[in-house]
Amino acid sequence: MEGDSEKERAAVNLSRYALACHASGKPIKREDIRGPVMAGLNSRSFRPVFDLANAFLEEDFALKMVALPQHEKKAARSDSANANASKTVNRWVLQSVLPDEARERLDMVLAKDEKAILGFAAMVLSLIFVNNMSISHEQLVLYVRKLGPPACVFPAGEARDMSVAGVATDVHLESAAHAAIAYLARHSYLDKITLNSANGRQGFGETQATQQTADAEGESGVEYTWGPQAKVKFEMMDMARFIAAVSGQECTPDFIKAVGRACGQNISATGTVE
C-alpha cells in the first residue's frame, strides 16, 4: 500500500526532473515521469504526485508545469485533420506564475545564448503572427536570411564554417537559414505542415532527417506555423506588445485590433481571444 511519504518523495523527484528539463530546454515527458520518477508507484498515483510536485514548484520557484499543446496536423484542403488528435497530455513545460508586473520589477537575467535564441524566435514568430499564423517555407527562408540567425543555434563547427574570414556567401546564408528554421522546429517553436492535395500527406514538427529529405526534394507546398513551445511562451498580447516595440509604435487598443486582424484573431485588451 502506497503511503504519503512515497508520494511526497516522488513529487520531490518530479520537481527536480522538471527543473532539469527546464534548464536544458527540453519538455517534461510522461514516459519519463512514469519510469524513474515514480518507480514503485502505481498509475493511479500519477495525478496526486503531479499536483503535489506542482505545488512544490509554485511555492518554492513560482513555476508550474503546463501542458504543451499538440503539434499542428493539417493536410491540404482538409478542415478535419485535427479531429482525431489525442486529448491525452504527454508533455509539459515550466511556466512562471508571477504576474506581469512582478516579472518586470524583478529584471530577470537571462544567459547570453538564451536571450539571443528567445529574441530570434520572437522575431520569427512575430512574422508568422502577422501573416495569419502561417507562412510558406520560401518566405520564411527569405525572412530568416534577412534577420541573420544567432550563432548559438548552430553546432560550434558549423557556426565557424559559416563565418570563414568574416565572409558570408549566398550558400552560407541559405544553409544558415535552413539550419535555423530546423533548430526552431526541433525545439517546438515551429510546426512544419506539409500540404499535399494529391495524397493528403501531412507532417508536423521537424527532425534533422526530415529536414535533409525536404532539402533534397524541395520545399514547395510546405508551410510553418507556431509550435507548442511558442504557444506556451508567447501569449497573444505579449506578441502584440513585442510587435509594437520593434516597430516603434504604441500598443494602443487600435494597434491591438490591427494586429489581431493580421493574425486572424480578435484580441482583447486583456490579451484573451474573443
Side-chain angles (χ1 to χ4, degrees):
M1 187 173 180
E2 298 168 0
D4 291 340
S5 59
E6 286 84 358
K7 292 180 181 178
E8 185 171 342
R9 173 188 53 77
V12 170
N13 289 340
L14 176 52
S15 302
R16 291 171 177 168
Y17 167 67
L19 290 169
C21 289
H22 181 67
S24 61
K26 297 178 180 179
I28 303 157
K29 297 181 179 180
R30 178 182 290 268
E31 59 263 32
D32 292 336
I33 297 175
R34 284 178 168 172
V37 173
M38 290 187 58
L41 298 179
N42 63 44
S43 59
R44 288 177 297 179
S45 299
F46 184 91
R47 178 50 59 180
V49 169
F50 187 92
D51 291 341
L52 184 57
N54 247 352
F56 290 158
L57 289 165
E58 187 167 348
E59 180 178 354
D60 295 338
F61 301 98
L63 296 168
K64 68 176 180 180
M65 291 180 283
V66 297
L68 270 177
Q70 295 283 347
H71 282 288
E72 291 287 336
K73 295 178 67 176
K74 295 181 182 177
R77 302 173 186 170
S78 173
D79 296 325
S80 59
N82 291 317
N84 297 321
S86 173
K87 295 182 180 180
T88 302
V89 177
N90 291 312
R91 302 191 306 163
W92 297 263
V93 291
L94 288 183
Q95 189 177 61
S96 174
V97 298
L98 292 174
D100 291 341
E101 302 80 14
R103 290 204 300 269
E104 291 171 1
R105 288 198 304 268
L106 283 174
D107 189 23
M108 295 181 178
V109 178
L110 298 176
K112 182 179 178 180
D113 285 355
E114 186 179 2
K115 185 181 295 185
I117 291 169
L118 281 176
F120 173 66
M123 286 297 297
V124 171
L125 294 170
S126 69
L127 294 169
I128 298 174
F129 191 79
V130 297
N131 199 50
N132 202 26
M133 297 301 290
S134 181
I135 193 169
S136 70
H137 175 79
E138 293 80 5
Q139 284 180 300
L140 186 56
V141 170
L142 180 62
Y143 285 138
V144 170
R145 283 187 57 156
K146 291 180 179 179
L147 287 173
C152 53
V153 303
F154 312 117
E158 189 174 335
R160 287 195 298 271
D161 293 342
M162 290 181 181
S163 58
V164 176
V167 177
T169 67
D170 280 344
V171 173
H172 288 143
L173 291 173
E174 190 76 9
S175 178
H178 282 273
I181 292 169
Y183 176 92
L184 292 178
R186 198 163 54 245
H187 288 80
S188 295
Y189 286 103
L190 296 177
D191 266 349
K192 176 181 175 181
I193 303 168
T194 304
L195 306 176
N196 191 324
S197 57
N199 57 22
R201 285 187 306 142
Q202 57 191 33
F204 56 96
E206 186 67 88
T207 64
Q208 185 176 1
T210 57
Q211 177 64 30
Q212 289 170 347
T213 301
D215 288 344
E217 297 178 352
E219 289 281 10
S220 60
V222 169
E223 293 182 354
Y224 286 89
T225 187
W226 280 28
Q229 282 278 18
K231 294 172 184 176
V232 169
K233 290 190 175 181
F234 298 94
E235 295 183 359
M236 289 196 170
M237 192 60 197
D238 292 335
M239 186 53 66
R241 293 192 189 102
F242 176 79
I243 294 170
V246 297
S247 62
Q249 302 183 57
E250 291 187 20
C251 194
T252 62
D254 287 342
F255 181 86
I256 294 170
K257 289 180 181 178
V259 170
R261 286 193 297 270
C263 76
Q265 300 285 355
N266 185 15
I267 308 172
S268 73
T270 60
T272 57
V273 178
E274 298 177 337

